[in-house]
Coordinates of all heavy atoms in Angstrom, one line a residue:
P204 N -23.2 -85.0 -24.1 CA -24.6 -85.3 -24.2 C -25.2 -84.8 -25.5 O -26.1 -85.4 -26.1 CB -25.3 -84.6 -23.0 CG -24.2 -84.3 -22.0 CD -22.9 -84.2 -22.9
A205 N -24.8 -83.6 -26.0 CA -25.3 -83.1 -27.2 C -26.8 -83.0 -27.3 O -27.4 -83.3 -28.4 CB -24.6 -83.8 -28.4
E206 N -27.4 -82.7 -26.2 CA -28.9 -82.6 -26.2 C -29.3 -81.2 -26.5 O -28.6 -80.2 -26.1 CB -29.4 -83.0 -24.8 CG -29.2 -84.4 -24.4 CD -29.3 -84.7 -22.9 OE1 -29.6 -83.7 -22.1 OE2 -29.1 -85.8 -22.5
N207 N -30.4 -81.0 -27.2 CA -31.0 -79.7 -27.5 C -29.9 -78.8 -28.1 O -29.8 -77.6 -27.7 CB -31.5 -79.0 -26.2 CG -32.5 -80.0 -25.4 OD1 -33.4 -80.5 -26.0 ND2 -32.2 -80.1 -24.1
M208 N -29.2 -79.3 -29.0 CA -28.0 -78.6 -29.6 C -28.3 -78.3 -31.1 O -28.9 -79.1 -31.8 CB -26.8 -79.6 -29.4 CG -25.5 -79.1 -29.9 SD -24.2 -80.2 -29.5 CE -23.2 -80.0 -30.9
T209 N -27.9 -77.2 -31.5 CA -28.0 -76.8 -32.9 C -26.6 -76.4 -33.4 O -25.9 -75.5 -32.9 CB -28.9 -75.5 -33.0 OG1 -30.1 -75.8 -32.5 CG2 -29.1 -75.1 -34.5
V210 N -26.1 -77.2 -34.4 CA -24.8 -76.9 -35.0 C -25.0 -75.8 -36.0 O -25.6 -76.0 -37.1 CB -24.2 -78.2 -35.6 CG1 -22.9 -77.9 -36.3 CG2 -24.0 -79.3 -34.6
L211 N -24.4 -74.6 -35.7 CA -24.6 -73.5 -36.6 C -23.5 -73.5 -37.7 O -23.8 -73.0 -38.8 CB -24.4 -72.2 -35.8 CG -25.3 -71.9 -34.6 CD1 -24.9 -70.6 -34.0 CD2 -26.7 -71.9 -35.1
A212 N -22.3 -74.0 -37.4 CA -21.3 -74.1 -38.4 C -20.3 -75.2 -38.1 O -20.2 -75.6 -36.9 CB -20.5 -72.7 -38.4
T213 N -19.7 -75.7 -39.1 CA -18.7 -76.8 -39.0 C -17.4 -76.3 -39.6 O -17.3 -75.3 -40.4 CB -19.2 -78.1 -39.7 OG1 -19.4 -77.8 -41.0 CG2 -20.4 -78.6 -39.0
A214 N -16.3 -77.1 -39.4 CA -15.0 -76.9 -40.0 C -14.5 -78.2 -40.4 O -14.6 -79.2 -39.7 CB -14.1 -76.2 -39.1
F215 N -14.0 -78.3 -41.7 CA -13.5 -79.6 -42.2 C -12.1 -79.8 -41.6 O -11.1 -79.0 -41.9 CB -13.5 -79.6 -43.7 CG -12.9 -80.9 -44.2 CD1 -13.7 -82.1 -44.0 CD2 -11.7 -81.0 -44.9 CE1 -13.2 -83.3 -44.5 CE2 -11.3 -82.2 -45.4 CZ -12.0 -83.4 -45.2
A216 N -11.9 -80.9 -40.9 CA -10.6 -81.2 -40.2 C -9.8 -82.1 -41.2 O -9.9 -83.3 -41.2 CB -10.8 -81.9 -38.9
D217 N -9.0 -81.4 -42.1 CA -8.3 -82.1 -43.1 C -7.2 -83.1 -42.6 O -6.5 -82.7 -41.7 CB -7.6 -81.0 -43.9 CG -7.1 -81.5 -45.3 OD1 -6.9 -82.7 -45.4 OD2 -6.9 -80.7 -46.2
K218 N -7.2 -84.3 -43.1 CA -6.3 -85.3 -42.6 C -4.8 -84.8 -42.9 O -3.9 -85.1 -42.1 CB -6.5 -86.6 -43.3 CG -7.7 -87.4 -42.6 CD -7.8 -88.8 -43.1 CE -8.9 -89.5 -42.4 NZ -9.2 -90.8 -42.9
A219 N -4.7 -84.0 -44.0 CA -3.3 -83.5 -44.3 C -2.8 -82.6 -43.2 O -1.6 -82.3 -43.1 CB -3.4 -82.8 -45.6
K220 N -3.7 -82.0 -42.4 CA -3.3 -81.1 -41.3 C -3.4 -81.9 -39.9 O -3.5 -81.2 -38.9 CB -4.2 -79.9 -41.3 CG -4.2 -79.1 -42.5 CD -3.0 -78.3 -42.7 CE -3.0 -77.4 -43.9 NZ -1.7 -76.7 -44.1
G221 N -3.5 -83.2 -40.0 CA -3.6 -83.9 -38.7 C -5.0 -84.1 -38.2 O -5.2 -84.4 -37.0
G222 N -6.0 -83.8 -39.1 CA -7.4 -83.8 -38.6 C -8.0 -85.2 -38.8 O -7.4 -86.2 -39.2
T223 N -9.3 -85.2 -38.6 CA -10.1 -86.5 -38.6 C -10.7 -86.8 -40.0 O -11.2 -87.9 -40.2 CB -11.3 -86.4 -37.6 OG1 -12.0 -85.2 -38.0 CG2 -10.8 -86.3 -36.2
G224 N -10.6 -85.9 -40.9 CA -11.3 -86.1 -42.2 C -12.8 -85.9 -42.1 O -13.6 -86.3 -43.0
E225 N -13.3 -85.3 -40.9 CA -14.7 -85.1 -40.7 C -15.0 -83.6 -40.7 O -14.1 -82.8 -40.4 CB -15.1 -85.7 -39.3 CG -14.9 -87.2 -39.2 CD -16.1 -87.9 -39.7 OE1 -17.1 -87.3 -40.1 OE2 -16.1 -89.2 -39.6
H226 N -16.2 -83.2 -40.9 CA -16.7 -81.9 -40.7 C -17.1 -81.8 -39.2 O -18.0 -82.3 -38.8 CB -17.9 -81.6 -41.5 CG -17.6 -81.5 -43.0 ND1 -17.1 -80.4 -43.6 CD2 -17.6 -82.5 -44.0 CE1 -16.9 -80.7 -44.9 NE2 -17.2 -81.9 -45.1
E227 N -16.2 -81.1 -38.4 CA -16.4 -81.0 -37.0 C -17.2 -79.8 -36.6 O -17.1 -78.7 -37.2 CB -15.0 -80.9 -36.3 CG -14.0 -82.0 -36.6 CD -14.4 -83.3 -35.8 OE1 -15.2 -83.2 -34.9 OE2 -13.7 -84.3 -36.0
P228 N -18.1 -79.9 -35.6 CA -18.8 -78.8 -35.1 C -17.9 -77.6 -34.6 O -17.0 -77.9 -33.8 CB -19.6 -79.3 -33.9 CG -19.6 -80.8 -34.0 CD -18.3 -81.1 -34.8
A229 N -18.1 -76.4 -35.1 CA -17.3 -75.3 -34.8 C -18.0 -74.2 -34.0 O -17.4 -73.6 -33.1 CB -16.7 -74.7 -36.1
L230 N -19.2 -74.0 -34.4 CA -20.1 -73.0 -33.6 C -21.4 -73.7 -33.4 O -22.0 -74.3 -34.3 CB -20.4 -71.8 -34.5 CG -19.2 -70.9 -34.9 CD1 -19.6 -69.8 -35.8 CD2 -18.5 -70.3 -33.7
F231 N -21.9 -73.8 -32.1 CA -23.2 -74.4 -31.8 C -23.8 -73.8 -30.6 O -23.2 -73.0 -29.9 CB -23.0 -75.9 -31.7 CG -21.9 -76.4 -30.9 CD1 -22.0 -76.9 -29.6 CD2 -20.6 -76.5 -31.5 CE1 -20.9 -77.4 -28.9 CE2 -19.5 -77.0 -30.8 CZ -19.7 -77.5 -29.5
T232 N -25.1 -74.0 -30.6 CA -25.9 -73.5 -29.4 C -26.6 -74.7 -28.7 O -26.8 -75.7 -29.3 CB -27.0 -72.5 -29.9 OG1 -27.9 -73.2 -30.7 CG2 -26.4 -71.3 -30.6
I233 N -26.8 -74.4 -27.4 CA -27.5 -75.5 -26.6 C -28.6 -74.8 -25.8 O -28.4 -73.7 -25.3 CB -26.5 -76.2 -25.7 CG1 -25.4 -76.9 -26.4 CG2 -27.2 -77.2 -24.8 CD1 -24.1 -76.1 -26.5
A234 N -29.8 -75.4 -25.8 CA -30.8 -74.9 -24.9 C -30.7 -75.7 -23.6 O -30.7 -76.9 -23.6 CB -32.2 -75.1 -25.5
Y235 N -30.5 -75.0 -22.5 CA -30.4 -75.6 -21.2 C -31.4 -75.0 -20.2 O -31.2 -73.8 -19.9 CB -29.0 -75.5 -20.6 CG -28.8 -76.1 -19.3 CD1 -28.5 -77.5 -19.1 CD2 -29.0 -75.3 -18.1 CE1 -28.4 -78.0 -17.8 CE2 -28.8 -75.9 -16.8 CZ -28.5 -77.2 -16.7 OH -28.4 -77.8 -15.5
G236 N -32.4 -75.7 -19.7 CA -33.4 -75.1 -18.9 C -34.0 -74.0 -19.6 O -34.3 -74.1 -20.8
K237 N -34.1 -72.8 -19.0 CA -34.6 -71.6 -19.7 C -33.5 -70.8 -20.3 O -33.6 -69.7 -20.8 CB -35.4 -70.7 -18.8 CG -36.8 -71.3 -18.3 CD -37.5 -70.4 -17.4 CE -38.7 -71.0 -16.8 NZ -39.1 -70.3 -15.6
G238 N -32.2 -71.3 -20.1 CA -31.0 -70.6 -20.5 C -30.6 -71.0 -21.9 O -31.0 -71.9 -22.6
R239 N -29.7 -70.1 -22.4 CA -29.1 -70.3 -23.8 C -27.6 -70.3 -23.7 O -27.0 -69.5 -23.0 CB -29.5 -69.1 -24.7 CG -30.9 -69.1 -25.2 CD -31.2 -67.8 -25.9 NE -31.1 -66.7 -25.0 CZ -32.1 -66.2 -24.3 NH1 -33.3 -66.7 -24.5 NH2 -32.0 -65.2 -23.4
V240 N -27.0 -71.2 -24.5 CA -25.5 -71.4 -24.5 C -25.0 -71.2 -25.9 O -25.6 -71.8 -26.9 CB -25.1 -72.8 -24.0 CG1 -23.6 -72.9 -23.9 CG2 -25.7 -73.0 -22.6
F241 N -24.0 -70.5 -26.1 CA -23.3 -70.4 -27.4 C -21.9 -70.9 -27.2 O -21.2 -70.5 -26.2 CB -23.2 -68.9 -27.9 CG -22.3 -68.7 -29.1 CD1 -22.6 -69.2 -30.3 CD2 -21.1 -68.1 -28.9 CE1 -21.8 -69.0 -31.4 CE2 -20.2 -67.9 -30.0 CZ -20.6 -68.4 -31.3
H242 N -21.4 -71.8 -28.1 CA -20.2 -72.5 -27.9 C -19.3 -72.3 -29.2 O -19.8 -72.6 -30.2 CB -20.5 -74.0 -27.6 CG -19.3 -74.9 -27.3 ND1 -19.5 -76.0 -26.6 CD2 -18.0 -74.8 -27.6 CE1 -18.3 -76.6 -26.4 NE2 -17.4 -75.9 -27.0
T243 N -18.1 -71.8 -29.0 CA -17.2 -71.7 -30.1 C -15.9 -72.5 -29.8 O -15.4 -72.3 -28.7 CB -16.8 -70.2 -30.4 OG1 -15.8 -70.2 -31.5 CG2 -16.3 -69.4 -29.2
I244 N -15.5 -73.3 -30.8 CA -14.3 -74.1 -30.5 C -13.0 -73.2 -30.8 O -11.9 -73.6 -30.5 CB -14.2 -75.3 -31.4 CG1 -14.1 -74.9 -32.9 CG2 -15.4 -76.3 -31.2 CD1 -13.6 -76.0 -33.8
M245 N -13.2 -72.0 -31.4 CA -12.1 -71.2 -31.7 C -11.6 -70.4 -30.5 O -12.2 -70.3 -29.5 CB -12.5 -70.2 -32.9 CG -12.9 -71.0 -34.2 SD -13.5 -69.9 -35.4 CE -15.3 -70.2 -35.2
G246 N -10.4 -69.8 -30.7 CA -9.8 -69.0 -29.6 C -8.7 -69.6 -28.8 O -8.6 -69.3 -27.6
H247 N -7.9 -70.4 -29.4 CA -6.8 -71.0 -28.7 C -5.8 -70.0 -28.1 O -5.3 -70.2 -27.0 CB -6.0 -72.0 -29.7 CG -4.7 -72.5 -29.2 ND1 -4.6 -73.4 -28.2 CD2 -3.4 -72.1 -29.5 CE1 -3.3 -73.7 -28.0 NE2 -2.6 -72.9 -28.7
D248 N -5.4 -69.0 -28.9 CA -4.4 -68.0 -28.3 C -4.7 -66.6 -28.9 O -5.8 -66.4 -29.5 CB -3.0 -68.5 -28.7 CG -2.8 -68.6 -30.2 OD1 -3.6 -68.1 -31.0 OD2 -1.7 -69.1 -30.6
D249 N -3.8 -65.7 -28.6 CA -4.1 -64.3 -29.0 C -4.2 -64.2 -30.5 O -5.0 -63.4 -31.0 CB -3.1 -63.3 -28.4 CG -1.6 -63.7 -28.7 OD1 -1.4 -64.9 -29.1 OD2 -0.7 -62.9 -28.5
K250 N -3.5 -65.0 -31.2 CA -3.5 -64.9 -32.7 C -4.9 -65.4 -33.2 O -5.5 -64.7 -34.1 CB -2.4 -65.8 -33.2 CG -1.9 -65.4 -34.6 CD -0.7 -66.3 -34.9 CE -0.2 -66.0 -36.3 NZ 0.9 -66.9 -36.7
S251 N -5.4 -66.5 -32.7 CA -6.7 -67.0 -33.2 C -7.8 -66.1 -32.7 O -8.9 -66.1 -33.3 CB -6.8 -68.4 -32.8 OG -6.1 -68.8 -31.7
T252 N -7.6 -65.4 -31.6 CA -8.7 -64.5 -31.1 C -8.7 -63.3 -31.9 O -9.8 -62.7 -32.1 CB -8.4 -64.2 -29.6 OG1 -8.2 -65.4 -28.9 CG2 -9.5 -63.4 -29.0
K253 N -7.6 -62.9 -32.5 CA -7.6 -61.7 -33.3 C -8.0 -62.0 -34.8 O -7.2 -61.9 -35.7 CB -6.2 -61.0 -33.3 CG -5.9 -60.3 -32.0 CD -4.5 -59.6 -32.2 CE -3.9 -59.3 -30.8 NZ -2.5 -59.0 -31.0
C254 N -9.2 -62.4 -34.9 CA -9.8 -62.8 -36.2 C -11.2 -62.0 -36.3 O -12.0 -62.2 -35.4 CB -10.0 -64.3 -36.3 SG -11.1 -64.8 -37.6
V255 N -11.4 -61.3 -37.4 CA -12.7 -60.6 -37.5 C -13.9 -61.5 -37.4 O -14.9 -61.2 -36.8 CB -12.7 -59.8 -38.8 CG1 -14.1 -59.2 -39.1 CG2 -11.6 -58.6 -38.7
G256 N -13.7 -62.7 -38.0 CA -14.8 -63.7 -37.9 C -15.0 -64.2 -36.5 O -16.2 -64.4 -36.1
F257 N -14.0 -64.5 -35.8 CA -14.1 -65.0 -34.4 C -14.8 -63.9 -33.6 O -15.7 -64.2 -32.8 CB -12.7 -65.3 -33.8 CG -12.7 -65.6 -32.3 CD1 -13.1 -66.8 -31.8 CD2 -12.5 -64.5 -31.4 CE1 -13.2 -67.0 -30.5 CE2 -12.5 -64.8 -30.1 CZ -12.9 -66.0 -29.6

Side-chain angles (χ1 to χ4, degrees):
E206 293 163 1
N207 308 313
M208 182 172 143
T209 304
V210 177
L211 303 180
T213 58
F215 181 66
D217 195 339
K218 283 189 173 170
K220 301 285 186 188
T223 53
E225 298 272 0
H226 293 274
E227 300 283 354
L230 298 173
F231 40 105
T232 61
I233 300 98
Y235 177 87
K237 290 182 190 159
R239 283 174 297 268
V240 183
F241 170 71
H242 186 154
T243 175
I244 66 160
M245 294 173 264
H247 167 75
D248 60 11
D249 52 346
K250 206 170 173 182
S251 25
T252 308
K253 286 186 202 165
C254 161
V255 169
F257 171 83

